[in-house]
Amino acid sequence: MRRVLTALSLVALLPLTACGGGDDDTTLTVLAAASLTGTFTELAATFEEAHPGVEVELVFGSSTTLAEQAVDGAPGDVLATADEASMTVAEDGGVLAGGPEAFASNRLALVAPADNPAGIESLTDLDDSGVDYVRCAETAPCGSSAVALLDDAGIESAPASEEVDVKAVLARVTQGEADAGLVYRTDSRAAGDAVREVATDDLDDYGPAYANNYYVAAVDGSDDGSDDATADLAADFVALVTGAEAAEVLGEAGFGGIVRE
């Protein structure tokens, strides 16, 4: 019964309210960073199995976009972002039911199509003439990290395109529409043989500054009519995400532990 939507789909749902009424015929809407697609789909199935009658509706997209939509009143019971800054947008907007919790981290990876036609071997190759690379828009966590990394690496060439989220970057690479792209390491792993990950050592040399911590929090649904039962379910989902079972799922997908400054 689980539904998976994109952030654009969420815009169409703005006039709607969240469902309530306990575990019977209840929808729990989870807004999550696009890089969490695989892991949260698995965790949603686990949650539904433990909560009969509950449907988890997953909405994936850019963390910043989802946080802004939550502030604007889009339906959502849980928010999971790929960085602290995006979660702060929701926190400052007064839409969180409690303080956000860090639960995992991710790092950038440079990927090329499987046959690597441009011969990309390092970050410096992105400055070669004729090389088209893509990254996330700077408003997305994957984009802000990529911009900082490219600046520190001295890369002067502009990207061929700036995509809305990391899944869009990966799609451009796997479809052969770009010679390389900066994605999260988890996305590189999930893509399998469809991409070739390069320059891992180069990126690691820059240290933890380019490792994003992920955050999750329940959203305050009092303004959209959500009841106490839905709030309890949201708290349960946050507990699942921050617990040992989720840590195992996230670790298998390539996420790391929380990065301490």
Side-chain angles (χ1 to χ4, degrees):
M1 296 299 293
R2 185 168 57 260
R3 289 200 294 168
V4 178
L5 305 174
T6 65
L8 291 177
S9 303
L10 185 62
V11 175
L13 298 177
L14 277 170
L16 302 181
T17 59
C19 299
D23 278 11
D24 293 332
D25 302 320
T26 298
T27 297
L28 186 75
T29 302
V30 177
L31 317 177
S35 49
L36 292 168
T37 298
T39 52
F40 266 43
T41 298
E42 183 174 346
L43 292 175
T46 299
F47 190 84
E48 288 177 344
E49 185 176 352
H51 297 79
V54 175
E55 176 187 0
V56 177
E57 182 175 83
L58 297 167
V59 181
F60 295 109
S62 164
S63 296
T64 304
T65 299
L66 292 172
E68 290 173 344
Q69 290 178 347
V71 172
D72 288 340
D77 304 302
V78 176
L79 175 65
T81 65
D83 69 343
E84 187 175 13
S86 298
M87 184 61 76
T88 300
V89 170
E91 191 169 24
D92 290 347
V95 298
L96 300 186
E101 297 182 59
F103 65 92
S105 67
N106 214 341
R107 302 195 69 178
L108 291 177
L110 182 64
V111 296
D115 57 351
N116 196 12
I120 304 297
E121 298 294 342
S122 70
L123 280 173
T124 57
D125 291 334
L126 300 183
D127 262 342
D128 290 351
S129 61
V131 169
D132 290 332
Y133 76 93
V134 293
R135 61 165 172 80
C136 295
E138 192 169 358
T139 52
C142 55
S144 60
S145 292
V147 168
L149 174 63
L150 293 168
D151 285 347
D152 280 0
I155 304 303
E156 297 182 353
S157 295
S161 71
E162 299 176 12
E163 303 298 328
V164 64
D165 59 39
V166 72
K167 294 300 183 185
V169 172
L170 187 64
R172 291 290 301 274
V173 175
T174 58
Q175 293 166 11
E177 298 174 355
D179 297 316
L182 281 164
V183 299
Y184 287 124
R185 191 162 294 175
T186 53
D187 297 289
S188 172
R189 178 179 294 192
D193 294 338
V195 298
R196 177 184 174 189
E197 183 175 322
V198 297
T200 298
D201 291 340
D202 285 2
L203 271 64
D204 285 346
D205 287 343
Y206 290 93
Y210 304 103
N212 293 352
N213 279 332
Y214 282 60
Y215 289 81
V216 64
V219 176
D220 185 357
S222 59
D223 290 340
D224 63 20
S226 296
D227 58 17
D228 290 343
T230 305
D232 289 343
L233 288 170
D236 287 348
F237 195 88
V238 170
L240 172 64
V241 171
T242 56
E245 185 172 6
E248 183 175 349
V249 171
L250 291 159
E252 289 177 353
F255 288 89
I258 300 169
V259 175
R260 309 291 182 183
E261 295 185 1

